[in-house]
Amino acid sequence: AQTVTQSQPEMSVQEAETVTLSCTYDTSESDYYLFWYKQPPSRQMILVIRQEAYKQQNATENRFSVNFQKAAKSFSLKISDSQLGDAAMYFCAYELDSNYQLIWGAGTKLIIKP
Amino acid sequence: GAVVSQHPSWVICKSGTSVKIECRSLDFQATTMFWYRQFPKQSLMLMATSNEGSKATYEQGVEKDKFLINHASLTLSTLTVTSAHPEDSSFYICSARDQWAGAHEAFFGQGTRLTVV
């Protein structure tokens, strides 16, 4: 069965610095999608970035980028120039191709220090 | 991105009563909807998956007679918590997918905080 592991319950970073959140997953599939979602205090889930497994190029969205290592089954999120608004819970998720169900990691709480 | 509206945002109900939570896709056809429950400081726990016009598929351990899910149209799914008890108090989130759309993305409602007193 597919699993997603986020080993960092909490991370903190100084404003304007860079932080990396880790995520590993387990699957026997070759084609799949991986996601990072942000859940701020409002609790609205917001898509941060998406990676297709068949693409070797790492996805990038402005200050957010991923380091996707397919062989190692690793999918880390790098946030550059951290801003106070980045403070949130960050969840890594794997999408099952069969029914589009998302398998979620436990989440990492990101604290931004002003 | 597409918009999913979830209503109500919060609700307080008395123990033993039922409460209905609505999840609407405003600008796309939600062929598949997911209902989650989230406990404080925890991840999302999938309760059930529903496809339009079909019966919902419940995850192991979720009582289907207690958590009634209806997905009668391509824009609306409802979750009814029947005979609610204090232990049902939680944050409930819906998400919707258009399986025919090209992008692999689930869109989330704002969530509903249920408090049973």
Side-chain angles (χ1 to χ4, degrees):
Chain A
Q2 292 84 354
T3 58
V4 177
T5 302
Q6 292 179 251
S7 59
Q8 306 154 317
E10 186 175 297
M11 292 282 286
S12 63
V13 63
Q14 204 71 35
E15 191 177 4
E17 297 295 310
T18 296
V19 64
T20 298
L21 309 184
S22 65
C23 173
T24 58
Y25 58 95
D26 189 25
T27 184
S28 59
E29 302 295 321
S30 58
D31 291 329
Y32 47 88
Y33 287 77
L34 295 164
F35 303 85
W36 278 98
Y37 279 91
K38 169 185 177 181
Q39 188 179 39
S42 67
R43 305 189 79 170
Q44 171 74 57
M45 297 294 287
I46 301 167
L47 177 66
V48 175
I49 202 163
R50 168 180 48 224
Q51 175 77 45
E52 295 93 326
Y54 65 87
K55 289 187 176 180
Q56 292 185 335
Q57 187 173 7
N58 289 325
T60 299
E61 289 287 342
N62 300 313
R63 299 182 295 108
F64 299 87
S65 62
V66 297
N67 183 3
F68 174 49
Q69 301 291 328
K70 191 172 183 179
K73 296 179 183 175
S74 171
F75 183 59
S76 61
L77 174 70
K78 185 172 83 172
I79 306 174
S80 304
D81 185 25
S82 298
Q83 300 176 1
L84 295 177
D86 295 334
M89 283 292 292
Y90 285 81
F91 293 98
C92 178
Y94 169 103
E95 183 185 81
L96 290 176
D97 191 50
S98 57
N99 61 3
Y100 307 110
Q101 194 178 110
L102 290 171
I103 309 299
W104 298 89
T108 297
K109 181 178 181 180
L110 179 63
I111 298 169
I112 310 295
K113 298 177 182 177
Chain B
V3 178
V4 173
S5 176
Q6 187 173 341
H7 178 82
S9 297
W10 60 270
V11 58
I12 300 174
C13 71
K14 290 185 177 180
S15 185
T17 63
S18 296
V19 61
K20 180 184 288 187
I21 302 170
E22 291 187 349
C23 182
R24 292 180 184 274
S25 58
L26 299 186
D27 50 6
F28 68 102
Q29 295 184 331
T31 52
T32 305
M33 283 195 172
F34 303 92
W35 286 95
Y36 296 93
R37 183 171 180 175
Q38 187 179 32
F39 293 101
K41 299 183 180 181
Q42 292 190 24
S43 188
L44 280 68
M45 182 185 77
L46 181 66
M47 298 175 67
T49 303
S50 71
N51 293 300
E52 183 265 337
S54 302
K55 287 185 178 180
T57 301
Y58 290 82
E59 295 300 300
Q60 192 172 7
V62 178
E63 299 175 59
K64 62 180 181 181
D65 294 331
K66 181 169 190 59
F67 298 99
L68 300 179
I69 292 171
N70 183 282
H71 190 172
S73 78
L74 284 171
T75 59
L76 175 65
S77 177
T78 59
L79 166 66
T80 301
V81 183
T82 62
S83 187
H85 288 96
E87 57 265 32
D88 299 324
S89 298
S90 191
F91 191 70
Y92 293 88
I93 306 174
C94 71
S95 75
R97 281 288 307 271
D98 179 355
Q99 69 179 86
W100 305 115
H104 276 249
E105 183 175 350
F107 302 98
F108 289 81
Q110 309 95 312
T112 297
R113 182 180 301 281
L114 170 64
T115 302
V116 184
V117 297

